[in-house]
Amino acid sequence: MRYIEKTAMNWADEGILTHEKAEEKLQQLADCRAAWHTVEQAVGIPHRSPSDKEQTFASVWITKWKFSSAMIREAYDRSVDNTGKFSMSYMNKILERWQKSGISTTQQAEEDKLARAAARKSRRNETLSQDLDAFERSGVFDNFDRK
């Protein structure tokens, strides 16, 4: 009885005073549970209650951004590959970038990964070339007798 009373007081504080608002709240809670279940399944987390932060991440990824379980798994794999551990915050950064970039399939994510790697390699080569040019201009070779 105390739980029901506390829940009713919390809902009243949230402005849930009608049957329609209660139905919306119940649907929101069901969506949150379903989102967490999708994330649990995608990344292989044993069934448990999520923390508030985990629940928020799951709800945004699944309900708001509409990522599939395959995309959640891809973000998980990249997170573990890059950090050596499971990190929902790191996964969120990956998924947030994908969402902003319009990446919604694993194929698009792979193409993006290859493009980003190529861009990094190009920047590295450009920097190395600039460093070599600057080194040659520094006059280090001016003291050598050239014949």
Side-chain angles (χ1 to χ4, degrees):
M1 286 301 289
R2 180 69 185 136
Y3 173 76
I4 294 171
E5 183 179 307
K6 186 175 179 180
T7 300
M9 290 184 341
N10 288 340
W11 283 19
D13 289 345
E14 292 179 34
I16 302 170
L17 303 172
T18 66
H19 177 69
E20 292 79 21
K21 291 281 188 183
E23 288 293 328
E24 288 175 20
K25 178 68 175 183
L26 291 172
Q27 185 60 51
Q28 177 190 15
L29 292 171
D31 292 346
C32 285
R33 279 191 303 276
W36 175 246
H37 181 71
T38 299
V39 171
E40 275 182 325
Q41 294 289 320
V43 302
I45 298 172
H47 181 67
R48 63 174 172 77
S49 294
S51 70
D52 289 342
K53 188 175 182 179
E54 289 173 328
Q55 184 62 70
T56 299
F57 281 147
S59 293
V60 168
W61 300 343
I62 303 299
T63 308
K64 184 176 178 185
W65 293 344
K66 308 286 188 215
F67 279 114
S68 67
S69 58
M71 290 297 285
I72 300 297
R73 180 62 194 205
E74 183 66 23
Y76 167 80
D77 288 342
R78 291 183 187 198
S79 173
V80 171
D81 290 347
N82 292 330
T83 67
K85 63 183 178 182
F86 173 58
S87 170
M88 287 194 83
S89 294
Y90 195 93
M91 284 178 61
N92 188 61
K93 293 291 184 195
I94 294 168
L95 291 165
E96 183 176 38
R97 188 177 58 73
W98 288 347
Q99 192 272 332
K100 286 178 181 175
S101 300
I103 297 170
S104 61
T105 66
T106 54
Q107 181 179 348
Q108 290 171 329
E110 186 60 29
E111 290 167 359
D112 177 67
K113 181 180 179 180
L114 294 173
R116 288 168 55 90
R120 275 192 304 275
K121 184 177 181 182
S122 175
R123 281 193 304 271
R124 240 188 337 258
N125 289 342
E126 184 177 306
T127 301
L128 180 59
S129 176
Q130 290 171 354
D131 289 347
L132 285 173
D133 290 344
F135 184 69
E136 288 174 350
R137 284 191 307 272
S138 72
V140 170
F141 298 109
D142 292 348
N143 293 334
F144 291 105
D145 191 271
R146 296 184 186 181
K147 295 182 183 180

